[in-house]
């Protein structure tokens, strides 16, 4: 089972341990795991698109080169359904079609999951309840579903390349 799917399964497990629990450790780890499931789903897709399968380890190194901040910016720029231009790709890289509903939802959900993960990992003043974890797990599950629909589109290729190269393209 790919790491992304394992992380989603783990997030689901933690979020459903006991709906009455107030264990911040379980709830926060569920939220964090939901984000990382989506992060690793997209990172694996980027690596598959831009790296050959051999030599061994090349795809994994490609995945490791991705930056959370850059991925969040790209996700946000793709979160407007119907957009025909997005921030970062150079002028000669066009979206073949307007941003689909699925891709826009992937972008907006990724950004929300990232923000909630950051809060769950670092904001010790914030209290999370089990419903917060369940909500984030559902968001991650929706990204997985939408990605299955979107992954072979021409816009998905631009999205994935932007996740990897967006900040460097305009140098």
């Amino acid at each position: 089972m790919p790491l992304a799917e394992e992380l989603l399964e783990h997030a689901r497990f933690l979020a459903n341990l006991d709906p009455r629990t107030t264990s911040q450790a379980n709830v926060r780890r569920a939220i964090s795991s939901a984000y990382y499931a989506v992060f690793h789903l997209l990172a694996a897709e980027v690596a598959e698109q831009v790296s050959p399968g051999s030599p061994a380890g090349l795809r994994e190194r490609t995945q490791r080169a991705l930056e959370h901040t850059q991925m969040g910016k790209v996700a946000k720029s793709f979160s407007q359904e119907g957009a025909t231009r997005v921030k970062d790709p150079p002028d000669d890289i066009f979206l073949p079609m307007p941003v689909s509903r699925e891709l826009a939802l992937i972008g907006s959900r990724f950004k929300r999951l990232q923000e909630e993960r950051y809060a769950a990992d670092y904001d010790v003043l914030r209290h999370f309840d089990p419903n917060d974890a369940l909500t984030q797990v559902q968001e991650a599950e929706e990204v997985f579903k939408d990605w299955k629909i979107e992954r072979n589109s021409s816009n998905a290729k631009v999205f994935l390349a932007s996740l990897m190269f967006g900040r460097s393209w305009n140098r």
Side-chain angles (χ1 to χ4, degrees), residues 41-107:
L41 170 72
L42 296 176
E45 294 285 335
V46 167
E48 185 176 322
Q49 177 171 294
V50 302
S51 299
S54 66
L58 188 57
R59 282 194 178 157
E60 292 79 6
R61 290 283 179 191
T62 300
Q63 285 180 255
R64 185 68 184 106
L66 292 166
E67 297 177 356
H68 294 273
T69 302
Q70 175 62 27
M71 289 178 72
K73 288 177 184 177
V74 169
K76 184 177 179 182
S77 74
F78 276 82
S79 66
Q80 297 300 312
E81 182 178 352
T84 56
R85 291 285 305 155
V86 294
K87 188 179 176 186
D88 284 335
D91 292 338
D92 60 334
I93 304 291
F94 295 96
L95 290 177
M97 54 191 9
V99 172
S100 68
R101 178 178 186 278
E102 290 81 13
L103 188 54
L105 287 169
I106 290 165

Side-chain angles (χ1 to χ4, degrees), residues 93-138:
I93 304 291
F94 295 96
L95 290 177
M97 54 191 9
V99 172
S100 68
R101 178 178 186 278
E102 290 81 13
L103 188 54
L105 287 169
I106 290 165
S108 61
R109 285 182 173 131
F110 180 90
K111 189 63 182 152
R112 274 196 310 276
L113 283 160
Q114 189 179 61
E115 290 166 356
E116 289 300 304
R117 189 278 311 174
Y118 190 85
D121 285 355
Y122 301 110
D123 188 350
V124 296
L125 296 175
R126 186 167 165 191
H127 178 80
F128 293 91
D129 66 45
N131 286 330
D132 295 324
L134 290 169
T135 297
Q136 296 311 306
V137 169
Q138 289 169 348

